[in-house]
Amino acid sequence: MKLAALSIGVSKAGNLAHLPGAIEGAKLFEAWARSRKYKTTYMVDDKKPLTVQQIAKAVEKIIQTSPDRLLIYFSGHGAQASANTAYWLLSDWENNSNEAINVSLSLSNAKRSGVSQIAVFADACRNTVPDVQSIGGQSIFPKKVMSNKLPQWDHFFAS
């Protein structure tokens, strides 16, 4: 069985409070996954800001390896304008409304990715933030349908 894990930590999202625990959480998750033989991808903003494009490219690269199981971990700030409109905020979300991960759209696209088992773990609040209505965000999964077979699916959202 091919196992893959993506661990994302965003400690600095615009002018929101700095979250040093986001990087530590991503680091611990990546280490845990690696210890269980997952091929891991680790992305944090400790040296430079993270963008949706960087994360989407990493996801596409993972999908191209045809994993049987994919784990996704996100730690950082989140926002929610209304039901089913959750966003994970990235470094430049305040200046660019697309620099956020549109969680609902990403998860919808993930289910068509051809990966048999997907689990998502998010340690991000779902509060309202200033200008939350102006956040559009983007999907980190390609829109292209790679499979019509729905995966086994779990998601765990802490706040």
Side-chain angles (χ1 to χ4, degrees), residues 117-140:
Q117 297 176 330
I118 300 173
V120 179
F121 304 87
D123 184 6
C125 58
R126 293 180 299 280
N127 296 332
T128 57
V129 295
D131 298 325
V132 70
Q133 297 296 338
S134 69
I135 300 171
Q138 298 183 60
S139 175
I140 57 172

Side-chain angles (χ1 to χ4, degrees), residues 81-96:
S82 61
N84 297 321
T85 59
Y87 302 98
W88 295 336
L89 305 179
L90 300 181
S91 306
D92 199 33
W93 75 274
E94 284 182 320
N95 295 317
N96 183 341

Side-chain angles (χ1 to χ4, degrees), residues 67-128:
D68 298 299
R69 181 182 299 152
L70 173 60
L71 306 180
I72 299 171
Y73 175 87
F74 177 87
S75 184
H77 282 287
Q80 187 161 348
S82 61
N84 297 321
T85 59
Y87 302 98
W88 295 336
L89 305 179
L90 300 181
S91 306
D92 199 33
W93 75 274
E94 284 182 320
N95 295 317
N96 183 341
S97 65
N98 288 319
E99 282 303 320
I101 296 171
N102 183 318
V103 178
S104 300
L105 181 58
S106 294
L107 301 185
S108 177
N109 288 346
K111 291 176 182 176
R112 302 180 308 179
S113 68
V115 179
S116 297
Q117 297 176 330
I118 300 173
V120 179
F121 304 87
D123 184 6
C125 58
R126 293 180 299 280
N127 296 332
T128 57

